[in-house]
Amino acid sequence: MIVKGTYFQNDEEKPLVYGDVEITNVKRQRLRGEELKEGILCEPVMVGFCGTDNELMHMGSEGRLSAKFPEGKDRLINGHEGIVYVPSEDRFAIVLIRGGDSYDPTRYTEDETYFEYGCDRADGLFCDKQYFHPDMLLPIPEGYVHDGKLDLSFAKKMVFPDPFACMLFQLERMEDLGSAHNFRVAMRKHKCDEQTAREIAKEEIFDRTVIFGLGTTGMFIGDLILRNHKNAKVLFVARSSEESNKVKFALKQTNADYLKNSFESEEELAKAIIEKLGGRATTFIGVSASQVEHKIAFEHKVLGCNGIYNSFSLGPKITFDTMPYGFENHLIFGSINFRQDHMEEAIRLLSESHYDEIVELIDKEEFVKDPIDAYKNKIYSKQAPMKTAVIWNKKYIDC
């Protein structure tokens, strides 16, 4: 079937193109042990732009995208955040992005395979129609469809389930790791049994939390930490002005603290973070995609003894001096994952949130006229909003 859509290709000048593109109904497997199933034809309604899309465009311009293409194709239809309409079932759905011949596609092992709609070996949402595995079309809560159309505010929120689910996973991992990492210290400190100590350690790991960077993922994890750990102290560190709409919204949403990085040196910044926290960090979460993250945490000793370093940035290399690293008992982990239950919980939590307020729309005609220009000068420019989305099919949105 030929449809209109955007797609990535290996081309120095035109790595992202809008035009006619052929979609194919490929049999796919949601989980290992389940049967291969043909997809159901859906119509994308609203789609969000993710930093991954921008990175894939750069990869295409450098000729490095071949491994991402669907089998037998020389291009990839992008888009992995959004909501679709399922004509055959007369309902709206959120696409669970990752599946494959694996027990958990977001934590696959070396003898397993996976795919990601719009990212890796499977076409995504930036097109007029697309096939998706029937068991990967997650239902939306009731009350947001009127006369066959989605509420605009709800539709905007539904560009976030994928990254929000990732942050639910991050929270779960930090809780698990913090508890396992420090429960023996808690047993001696509080003179309690192991189970009690594990619960104490799970709480104490967030006593002084640095979130270095303030994009949507940073905001989401700060929100989730403070929702679930009422005594946690969370400090966002970023370059934006305290008076910017982004910072105001983040602080209102999370009740976290904020430190603007306007310092002349890394040493000054590190000192200010420690002063603002009231001590060295128990957890340091890097989401800025900058090389300075690990320097602040390790070289300038913002991360305290027995602390966790959560690397959620794609691109930066982490280095550390093994002597203090070992003696200060740091724990470093990085994982960009989630499970289906995380997606389902993300849909529920987001539907009750105010996150539609940070989503700005780009007109579809403006976007498809010159997708590369839209990426460079609007969607991912320095003046870009926290999140940009496009209404792909207006007939399903109550504007």
Side-chain angles (χ1 to χ4, degrees), residues 368-385:
V368 302
K369 181 180 179 180
D370 191 340
I372 294 177
D373 180 73
Y375 269 40
K376 291 181 177 179
N377 297 313
K378 189 163 186 177
I379 300 168
Y380 300 109
S381 70
K382 289 185 178 180
Q383 294 76 37

Side-chain angles (χ1 to χ4, degrees), residues 64 78 95 98 127 174 186 199 216 305-306 313-314 317 361 369:
R64 298 187 291 115
N78 61 312
V95 181
R98 295 174 186 163
C127 53
M174 288 187 289
E199 289 300 315
T216 52
C305 293
N306 308 310
S313 291
L314 290 177
K317 295 181 179 180
L361 299 176
K369 181 180 179 180

Side-chain angles (χ1 to χ4, degrees), residues 198-211:
R198 286 183 179 273
E199 289 300 315
I200 291 172
K202 185 171 76 172
E203 292 292 324
E204 289 182 342
I205 201 64
F206 299 112
D207 277 357
R208 294 181 299 280
T209 301
V210 173
I211 300 177

Side-chain angles (χ1 to χ4, degrees), residues 183 186-187 190-200:
F183 79 91
M187 285 176 67
H190 298 281
K191 296 180 173 58
C192 59
D193 61 86
E194 180 178 327
Q195 186 56 44
T196 302
R198 286 183 179 273
E199 289 300 315
I200 291 172

Side-chain angles (χ1 to χ4, degrees), residues 102-145:
S102 48
Y103 293 112
D104 182 347
T106 71
R107 301 182 73 181
Y108 64 95
T109 61
E110 56 276 0
D111 65 336
E112 298 177 330
T113 61
Y114 80 104
F115 66 87
E116 292 182 277
Y117 288 118
C119 292
D120 209 325
R121 288 165 281 188
D123 287 330
L125 281 76
F126 276 117
C127 53
D128 294 342
K129 296 181 180 181
Q130 188 58 269
Y131 294 100
F132 298 108
H133 190 293
D135 300 331
M136 297 174 69
L137 293 169
L138 306 182
I140 66 171
E142 295 183 1
Y144 298 103
V145 179

